[in-house]
Amino acid sequence: MKRVLGLLAALCAGLATVAARAETLIAAMSSHQIQITSNYTGSQLTVFGLVERDGRTVSRGDPYDIIVTVRGPRRMLLVREKERLGPIWINRTQRRFPDNPVFLHVASNRPIAEMMNAETARRGRIGLANAELPQGNWVDLDPSSIRFRESLTRIMQAKDLYGYEERGVTFLSNALFSAPIDIPATAPTGSYTVDIVLYSGGVPLARQQTSFEVIKTGIEQRLASGAYDWPLLYGFATALLALLLGWGASVVFRRD
């Protein structure tokens, strides 16, 4: 009897695996590197993807949904809350967000609220407001922490470093989709990860991850490398250049 139950359990697990693999997500990017030069004003990459479906499985009643989440280099971010004290404003409280992405972009083929309810989105860390929520029970979060995190999102949105495009993913056919990603000139250098998740009825079906990097090239990269590798020499050369420019300006604009 135990052996029969074991075989039934294995069969159920196998069926679950087949069901989980009914859809496969294949994704690629138009480019895996963005080069920053002296005239760099921003760039755009495009994520292409294909949903491969097992022909032996029945079609789903709910349509496919795609959510693309791009995360940039992770740094420690600090948010300060200002409070008025008499005629001046001062910083009273602050909150640190260690290991937080400097760039965060979310795109979907339709509003996330139409794909799933708010609780499911929070628990799954889906969407711009939920992407960087700490692991665990989000209900137990400190209200002040939520307030500071919302302020961080607003500040980064004002800098064009955070953003959400509720129709930023376009289905070119029933299985083929694309999603353009705008990289502003203020985006930091480093590695970026791109998470593409396929949903149906609010349930994740498949996931694919890719990446790209933003690097400096040309004279900008040589200057940055020189400042990092030879800081004393770089500082001396900068000070000498400032003195020479000041002396040259005094000669040119000298009044006799």
Side-chain angles (χ1 to χ4, degrees), residues 104-172:
L104 180 61
H105 178 81
V106 180
S108 56
N109 60 297
R110 59 174 176 156
I112 295 177
E114 297 180 5
M115 303 181 192
M116 62 193 73
N117 57 46
E119 180 179 351
T120 302
R122 280 191 291 264
R123 292 189 182 278
R125 304 171 73 193
I126 302 167
L128 185 63
N130 307 316
E132 291 303 312
L133 287 179
Q135 296 282 2
N137 189 0
W138 59 268
V139 179
D140 297 333
L141 288 176
D142 183 7
S144 65
S145 177
I146 297 178
R147 188 178 78 254
F148 274 94
R149 187 170 291 277
E150 291 175 348
S151 299
L152 172 63
T153 301
R154 289 196 303 270
I155 294 171
M156 301 303 280
Q157 281 182 300
K159 297 180 179 180
D160 292 331
L161 293 175
Y162 280 22
Y164 170 54
E165 294 288 340
E166 62 181 20
R167 300 194 184 276
V169 179
T170 302
F171 273 96
L172 306 177

Side-chain angles (χ1 to χ4, degrees), residues 28 41 119 129 182:
T41 58
E119 180 179 351
D182 291 321

